[in-house]
Amino acid sequence: MQYELKYVSEIKFGPAYYSLTVAGKKVPNFVYGFTRSELQDGRYLAIEEWLTTNYQKGPITRVAIFDLDNKLVTRLATVKKRVCR
């Protein structure tokens, strides 16, 4: 396996979040949800990236797609908390 998730903590009344290490190096500045998919025999990792763990501001997330073979990452559009009426 070319990546590792390590438990960090939990959101108040919510899910756990994790740090991510890819090819032995911790991905800085972000934490990740546990939901993820591996594509093309493990070459790509698609994972939920959390931009905040603040209970009042969140969730603010986006999908990060890692090319584990070439050590590249792309991030999709940010999803912010919205109020349903």
Side-chain angles (χ1 to χ4, degrees):
M1 183 181 297
Q2 297 181 46
Y3 71 91
E4 180 181 13
L5 288 172
K6 289 187 182 179
Y7 175 85
V8 174
S9 190
E10 296 176 9
I11 298 286
K12 180 180 176 181
F13 304 114
Y17 56 91
Y18 303 81
S19 65
L20 176 65
T21 302
V22 175
K25 295 185 180 182
K26 185 176 183 253
V27 178
N29 304 321
F30 301 107
V31 293
Y32 297 86
F34 191 74
T35 303
R36 64 202 185 277
S37 291
E38 294 178 32
L39 309 165
Q40 290 191 357
D41 296 325
R43 177 178 177 180
Y44 297 102
L45 169 66
I47 190 166
E48 181 184 36
E49 188 171 72
W50 294 16
L51 305 180
T52 182
T53 57
N54 182 299
Y55 178 74
Q56 297 299 321
K57 293 181 183 178
I60 302 173
T61 64
R62 63 184 170 199
V63 173
I65 301 173
F66 291 86
D67 179 335
L68 300 174
D69 288 351
N70 293 309
K71 298 176 180 63
L72 299 171
V73 64
T74 190
R75 291 171 168 100
L76 304 182
T78 300
V79 179
K80 295 183 181 183
K81 175 172 86 171
R82 52 178 223 199
V83 178
C84 297
R85 294 179 197 238

